[in-house]
Amino acid sequence: MAQLDVNRIQKELVEIERDKNSGVSVTIIGGQLSRLTGTIKGPIGTPYEGGIFVVDITLTKSYPFEPPKMTFKTKVWHPNVSSANGAICLDILKDQWSPALTLKTALLSLQALLSTPEPDDPQDAVVAQQYLRNYQDYVTTARNWTNAFATGDRGLQEKVAKLVEMGIPAEAAQAALEKAGGDENAALEVLFSS
Amino acid sequence: MKFGSQFQWFLQSQISGEYRAHCLQYKSLKKQLSPCRRRDPSAPPPHGSPSVWDSYRPVRAHCDSCDVHFWSNVGKEVKDISAFFTKRAAFLLQEHGVSPVYDAQHRWFACFLGDGCRGHAHEQVVDAELAGEARQLIQFAKANTMALRKILKKYDKLHRTGAGKEFMQRLLRKEHGNSFFTQRFLLHELTALHSSLGEEKTSDAAIGREQRHKCAELLQAVRLSLTDAGTEARLPGPYALDLHCSVCLEVFVDPMGLKCGHVFCKSCACRVARIHPLNPKGLKVALKTARCAICRQADVYQKAVPLPEVGELVKKRFPKEWKERELQDRQILPYKADSRLDGYIQAPQRAL
C-alpha cells in the first residue's frame, strides 16, 4: 500500500480507451497517474442531455482500496452536486466504495446520478429544495447550466461574444452569464440592474 | 420435447452408468405428484377455498395427497446426490494431486489406487480419464440442478404455492448443509481440472454437433432457471470460470474462494480485508465486518478456501501474465510487527 498501484490504473485506462461507446473517458494530467480528468456525457432524456461534464479525479496511494476523489469541474445544477465547488454526494465514492469498482464504473455511476437525482440526500440544499418544490424551474435551470457550461467552450464563448457586441466588457459578460446560469436575457437583466 | 424425456435423453447419452444411478429420480418424483396432476388444472386446488384473487398469491398451504412422500423423497434425493457429488469431486481432485486441501480428508482413497507408481505414459491415460470424469461430474451436477428446479416448479404450479421455491431457497441458504449446487468451489475446481487437462477438444469432437447443441440448450436452461428464482446474489454467474481477479484486474495468483462464492487472488483478498498479504495467519484474522468486494456480503473471509486447481489452470493458460502478476506479489514489503501503521490488522498477539 506504500505506492500507487500503477498496474491496475493502467489496466483501467486501457479498458476505458477500448470501450468507446460507454460515454465516459479518462485522460492523464501531467504524466502522473494520481491526477486524472474524466468526462461523462449527459444522459439522454434529462436536462443534462447534450452536455459533456468534466470530472476531476485524484487517486490516493491506497487506491483501489480507497475510493477515488471525484469532483465536477464543470458547473452542474443538480441536487447531489454542489453548485459552488462541484463536490459530489454519492455513496460509492464514500463508504460504499468497493475495490471491485473501477474509474469507469464510478464515472458511469455519476452518469446514472445525473439521470436520477436523490433530493432526499442532497449536497446542494438550494437545488434540492427547488427540485422538490418547483420541478419545472429545476429542469429549466439545469438545462441552462448545461447549455452554458457543459457544451464545451463554444456555447459560452458565443454568448459572451454577443454581449460584447452590445458593448459590455468580456469579463463582466462572462461573470453575468455564470450568475444567470447561462441564460442571455437573464444575464442582461443582471448587468443592467446593477 | 418435454423436460422429462429431455432429461432422460441427457442421462442416457451424456452420463455414464455409475453417475446415472445417483441422478435425481425425476420420473418417480413426478409420479408422486400424480394425484394432483390428474385434477382439472382449472379447478381450485384441494386445500382451502381461495377467492379468485387469492389463487394468484403464493399460499404456502399443504397438499395432503402429495406431501406425504414428495418432500421427504426430494430431501433424501438431494442429500444422496450431494454426498455422492462431494465424495466423487474430492476423490478426483485428490487424484490429480494439486489440491492438498482434500488430501487429509480423503487420503484413504489413495490406498486403493497406488498413487505413487504411475509411469509417465500411464499418467497421460489417467489424466484423460480424470478429465473425462470431471466433465461427467460437472454435467451431473448441472443436470441434477435443472431437474430439481423443474420438479419444484411443477409442484408450485400444481398447487399454486411457493413451497417449491421456498425449498430451493432454503437449500441455497445451506440450511441443511451444502448441497451439490451450492458447492461452488468444488465446481470451480472441477472445471479448472477439466480445462487444464485439455480434455475439452477431444470430448467435444466426439459428441456430434447436434448433440452438443442439445446439451448446451439444456445447460443454458439451468442458468436461466437459477437466475429467475431471484437467487442471483447467491449464485454469482453461471459455472463459467473467469480467470481474472476483479481487484487487481489480472489473472489469479493463489486464488482463494470466499464464503459468498467469489474468487480473488490471495493477496488481493487480504488487502480488501485489510490484512497484510504476508501475514502468516492469512485470512483467518479477518474481521467479521470485512465485506466481499463484489457482493458486499460480510463475514466471508475467515472460512475462505484455496483453489489450487484454478491456480494451476491459470499457470497453464496464461503463463506470461501469471509470471508478471506473481512478480508483483513478490515485491510486497515483508510482514512486520508494525504493519498496522499501514492500516493492516494484526495477527492476534499471544497473551504474555
Side-chain angles (χ1 to χ4, degrees), chain B residues 84-98:
Chain B
F84 174 76
F85 174 76
T86 315
K87 204 166 117 190
R88 197 76 203 152
F91 168 67
L92 291 180
L93 293 170
Q94 196 267 338
E95 250 313 85
H96 191 220
V98 210

Side-chain angles (χ1 to χ4, degrees), chain B residues 161-212:
Chain B
T161 73
K165 205 170 172 180
E166 203 177 290
F167 182 81
M168 195 68 177
Q169 273 164 357
R170 251 166 40 208
L171 288 179
L172 287 171
R173 281 199 297 270
K174 304 183 189 177
E175 274 178 28
H176 310 284
N178 258 319
S179 320
F180 54 95
F181 51 87
T182 54
Q183 297 264 36
R184 292 199 61 78
F185 301 126
L186 282 181
L187 281 166
H188 277 325
E189 288 281 87
L190 284 173
T191 315
L193 168 79
H194 171 238
S195 323
S196 99
L197 291 179
E199 197 254 354
E200 203 129 16
K201 290 171 215 136
T202 47
S203 77
D204 273 12
I207 311 172
R209 206 176 148 208
E210 195 192 331
Q211 277 198 322
R212 212 157 64 214

Side-chain angles (χ1 to χ4, degrees), chain A residues 38-140:
Chain A
T39 61
I40 46 181
K41 279 186 190 158
I44 294 163
T46 68
Y48 309 101
E49 184 175 344
I52 298 211
F53 298 87
V54 181
V55 180
D56 199 46
I57 307 169
T58 311
L59 302 179
T60 60
K61 280 177 181 165
S62 354
Y63 180 82
F65 301 99
E66 268 177 26
K69 293 193 171 77
M70 292 190 172
T71 50
F72 272 106
K73 241 180 167 176
T74 312
K75 283 167 86 71
V76 188
W77 189 255
H78 186 284
N80 305 101
V81 180
S82 161
S83 56
N85 59 17
I88 303 163
C89 179
L90 182 62
D91 57 351
I92 64 148
L93 292 178
K94 290 170 185 168
D95 55 328
Q96 288 299 308
W97 170 257
S98 146
L101 297 169
T102 61
L103 292 178
K104 184 179 164 190
T105 52
L107 286 173
L108 289 173
S109 303
L110 282 184
Q111 205 176 28
L113 182 70
L114 287 184
S115 43
T116 49
E118 296 282 347
D120 297 327
D121 186 17
Q123 171 78 33
D124 195 307
V126 179
V127 188
Q129 283 292 328
Q130 191 192 41
Y131 182 91
L132 290 172
R133 292 201 182 146
N134 204 339
Y135 184 76
Q136 268 316 314
D137 277 4
Y138 152 77
V139 171
T140 316

Side-chain angles (χ1 to χ4, degrees), chain B residues 56-209:
Chain B
Y56 291 96
R57 200 179 57 195
V59 197
R60 282 171 182 53
H62 294 280
C63 164
D64 297 333
S65 43
C66 298
D67 280 1
V68 189
H69 301 297
F70 185 76
W71 290 115
S72 63
N73 282 340
V74 170
K76 196 169 150 285
E77 292 240 1
V78 169
K79 218 171 162 187
D80 281 352
I81 297 168
S82 306
F84 174 76
F85 174 76
T86 315
K87 204 166 117 190
R88 197 76 203 152
F91 168 67
L92 291 180
L93 293 170
Q94 196 267 338
E95 250 313 85
H96 191 220
V98 210
S99 315
V101 216
Y102 307 103
D103 273 6
Q105 278 172 298
H106 297 274
R107 187 161 291 150
W108 60 276
F109 278 118
C111 318
F112 299 107
L113 285 138
D115 218 1
C117 53
R118 291 199 298 185
H120 188 69
H122 181 60
E123 206 162 275
Q124 274 185 347
V125 181
V126 174
D127 276 359
E129 265 174 30
L130 260 183
E133 290 248 1
R135 183 175 159 275
Q136 284 264 317
L137 198 53
I138 298 165
Q139 304 275 58
F140 169 84
K142 287 178 179 174
N144 276 315
T145 312
M146 185 68 209
L148 180 64
R149 278 228 41 91
K150 281 276 178 185
I151 197 76
L152 292 176
K153 233 181 184 169
K154 184 147 271 173
Y155 181 93
D156 278 359
K157 201 172 153 195
L158 284 173
H159 298 93
R160 298 183 197 169
T161 73
K165 205 170 172 180
E166 203 177 290
F167 182 81
M168 195 68 177
Q169 273 164 357
R170 251 166 40 208
L171 288 179
L172 287 171
R173 281 199 297 270
K174 304 183 189 177
E175 274 178 28
H176 310 284
N178 258 319
S179 320
F180 54 95
F181 51 87
T182 54
Q183 297 264 36
R184 292 199 61 78
F185 301 126
L186 282 181
L187 281 166
H188 277 325
E189 288 281 87
L190 284 173
T191 315
L193 168 79
H194 171 238
S195 323
S196 99
L197 291 179
E199 197 254 354
E200 203 129 16
K201 290 171 215 136
T202 47
S203 77
D204 273 12
I207 311 172
R209 206 176 148 208

Side-chain angles (χ1 to χ4, degrees), chain A residues 1 7-8 65 96 98 100, chain B residues 247 249 271 293 296 328 344:
Chain A
M1 283 198 185
N7 285 297
R8 159 148 174 167
F65 301 99
Q96 288 299 308
S98 146
Chain B
V247 172
L249 308 180
R271 284 195 181 109
R296 298 174 203 268
Q328 286 175 31
Y344 294 123

Side-chain angles (χ1 to χ4, degrees), chain B residues 294-347:
Chain B
I294 295 176
C295 64
R296 298 174 203 268
Q297 207 173 314
D299 192 17
V300 286
Y301 288 94
Q302 290 183 353
K303 283 188 181 161
V305 291
L307 302 173
E309 285 288 352
V310 177
E312 284 299 307
L313 179 63
V314 172
K315 267 189 235 177
K316 220 169 216 178
R317 213 174 258 181
F318 306 101
K320 212 177 116 225
E321 287 90 337
W322 182 81
K323 235 182 195 151
E324 279 169 17
R325 172 69 182 81
E326 221 246 339
L327 224 93
Q328 286 175 31
D329 262 9
R330 291 215 190 139
Q331 286 161 0
I332 296 171
L333 297 173
Y335 175 66
K336 285 180 305 206
D338 60 349
S339 300
R340 183 174 9 190
L341 297 176
D342 295 341
Y344 294 123
I345 299 164
Q346 289 284 292

